[in-house]
Amino acid sequence: VFLFGQADVLYRFKDDRYESDFTIPINLYCSYILNRHLFPFIQAGMVNSWNDVTSQWFTFGAGLQYQFNTMFNINVFYNDVFAGTNVNRWNYYNLGIRVVL
């Protein structure tokens, strides 16, 4: 079982559609190694965003990663916003491919 956290700092510059904003997502991941190639994981996170209006939202997610070899893996991931203030609720699905060169 693996447990790890990740904190990011993001700044989006103003453009024709959006004002600039400053965002800090903090996520906690828990993963389990089923076998040498298969890794299910879950995620819980909190995001704070500052622009004209301060927003905060909370997310959860789950995914599965398959490692073909030490250089190549693929994963699927689902994420959902379940609570927050001044934010739209959304969810997304992701299919990712990672190659280590």
Side-chain angles (χ1 to χ4, degrees), residues 24-42:
I24 301 176
I26 300 170
N27 290 292
L28 183 64
Y29 295 89
C30 182
S31 179
Y32 180 75
I33 299 175
L34 287 177
N35 59 39
R36 293 181 61 202
H37 302 284
L38 199 57
F39 309 88
F41 60 92
I42 57 173

Side-chain angles (χ1 to χ4, degrees), residues 8-11 21-27 45-51 53-59 84-87:
D8 297 306
V9 176
L10 308 170
Y11 183 80
D21 68 0
F22 180 67
T23 305
I24 301 176
I26 300 170
N27 290 292
M46 176 183 74
V47 179
N48 291 298
S49 181
W50 296 272
N51 56 17
V53 176
T54 299
S55 301
Q56 181 179 54
W57 62 94
F58 299 89
T59 65
T85 57
N86 299 324
V87 67

